[in-house]
Amino acid sequence: MPVLEKNGQKIWQKRDRTQALLSWLGRLGGVAVVLFCWQVIADNTNWSFVADAPEQASNMIARGIPPNWGYLNTLWQPLWDTLNIATLGTLLGVAVAIPTAFLAARNTTPHPLVRYVALLVIVGSRSVNSLIWALLLVVVLGPGVLAGILAIGLRSIGFTGKLFYEAIEEIDPKPVEAVAATGASAAQVLSYGFWPQVMPSIFGVSVYRWDINIRESTVVGLVGAGGIGIQLQASINILRWSQVSMILVVVFLTVFVSEWVSAQVRRLLI
């Protein structure tokens, strides 16, 4: 019989056979699922490549060290494109997300049907990864920075919109009621009742998303959406590992600086 201790006293409990059997069957089912998944992975894995992986990895690292420092001069323009993709994409996403969030929040939406449409926009944006947006846009618009900006912007709408409308719904209603009691219009209630309360959250989330977009902007370039990812893909294709290591150093330093800037700005805003 299982024993529980409560306030230093032992409490004896009668074992439930049905519950014990269900628990045992649950564990057995979990083990069966893990074994099945492992079997599927094993059947679809070329183990000769896996066995050769340590040698290939050590060879790749040896050829990538030291980085090709002379290649750095070629990376300034792609790095600038990457920063532009992240910044303009974030601005685009936030510009669409703010009105969408006000339409999606329960306490500011003009109609339940409008709220559902706004939520659909947010969920639709969040359900598609930036890389997939970039793949689609490169097919439609062709390779380049514009496809990258739109891909980052479309992805950012869902992320920022969800956090924005949650912040709007969590505001203190008393200032809003006070402004409305003066006979203010709907626009004035939004400006003086809602906006001062949600503004720190909106700026903080926007800066945080920009920090994330710096990293995602390096990835969308792998499918032709501009930025330093194009240089990375080209260097990998021709097996120039010293160039690849140089690009990774630049990406690491850029992300490190962007995280520092993001943390400093959010500390000032929030």
Side-chain angles (χ1 to χ4, degrees):
M1 298 176 71
V3 181
L4 296 177
E5 283 195 16
K6 187 174 182 180
N7 299 326
Q9 294 182 348
K10 293 183 177 179
I11 303 174
W12 295 82
Q13 291 188 333
K14 185 178 179 180
R15 185 182 296 277
D16 188 334
R17 288 187 177 182
T18 304
Q19 186 177 6
L21 179 61
L22 290 175
S23 176
W24 184 82
L25 289 175
R27 295 176 186 175
L28 182 63
V31 172
V33 170
V34 171
L35 291 176
F36 174 74
C37 293
W38 174 253
Q39 182 64 38
V40 172
I41 294 172
D43 291 342
N44 292 279
T45 301
N46 189 333
W47 292 104
S48 61
F49 280 92
V50 176
D52 193 37
E55 182 180 352
Q56 294 294 333
S58 60
N59 182 40
M60 184 176 68
I61 293 173
R63 294 171 65 182
I65 299 176
N68 184 356
W69 298 102
Y71 190 62
L72 181 61
N73 291 329
T74 312
L75 299 178
W76 293 121
Q77 183 60 46
L79 179 61
W80 177 247
D81 291 341
T82 299
L83 295 174
N84 281 329
I85 290 172
T87 305
L88 296 178
T90 304
L91 292 174
L92 174 64
V94 170
V96 178
I98 289 176
T100 306
F102 276 99
L103 295 175
R106 286 187 178 87
N107 49 350
T108 54
T109 187
H111 193 275
L113 183 60
V114 175
R115 178 172 186 267
Y116 290 134
V117 173
L119 289 175
L120 182 64
V121 171
I122 292 173
V123 173
S125 169
R126 294 179 63 229
S127 60
V128 181
N129 189 273
S130 299
L131 195 61
I132 300 175
W133 280 122
L135 275 170
L136 299 174
L137 290 167
V138 166
V139 172
V140 176
L141 301 173
V145 174
L146 179 60
I149 293 172
L150 293 179
I152 294 296
L154 289 172
R155 173 64 173 172
S156 300
I157 292 172
F159 180 92
T160 55
K162 175 178 172 56
L163 297 178
F164 288 169
Y165 89 75
E166 289 179 349
I168 294 170
E169 289 181 344
E170 293 173 356
I171 65 164
D172 184 359
K174 293 179 181 176
V176 177
E177 293 170 358
V179 175
T182 64
S185 63
Q188 289 173 325
V189 171
L190 287 176
S191 299
Y192 300 106
F194 285 92
W195 182 252
Q197 296 190 65
V198 299
M199 184 178 61
S201 298
I202 288 178
F203 279 107
V205 170
S206 301
V207 174
Y208 179 58
R209 184 63 210 183
W210 173 79
D211 178 25
I212 295 174
N213 285 341
I214 290 288
R215 278 165 279 178
E216 294 202 354
S217 298
T218 63
V219 177
V220 297
L222 293 175
V223 294
I228 204 168
I230 293 180
Q231 300 297 123
L232 180 61
Q233 182 66 38
S235 297
I236 292 175
N237 287 340
I238 58 176
L239 306 180
R240 296 289 179 86
W241 299 114
S242 59
Q243 293 183 10
V244 171
S245 60
M246 186 67 251
I247 294 171
L248 293 179
V249 168
V250 171
V251 170
F252 171 78
L253 292 176
T254 304
V255 171
F256 180 80
V257 172
S258 71
E259 286 204 8
W260 181 82
V261 171
S262 172
Q264 296 300 315
V265 173
R266 282 188 286 119
R267 187 172 62 84
L268 292 173
L269 292 175
I270 302 177

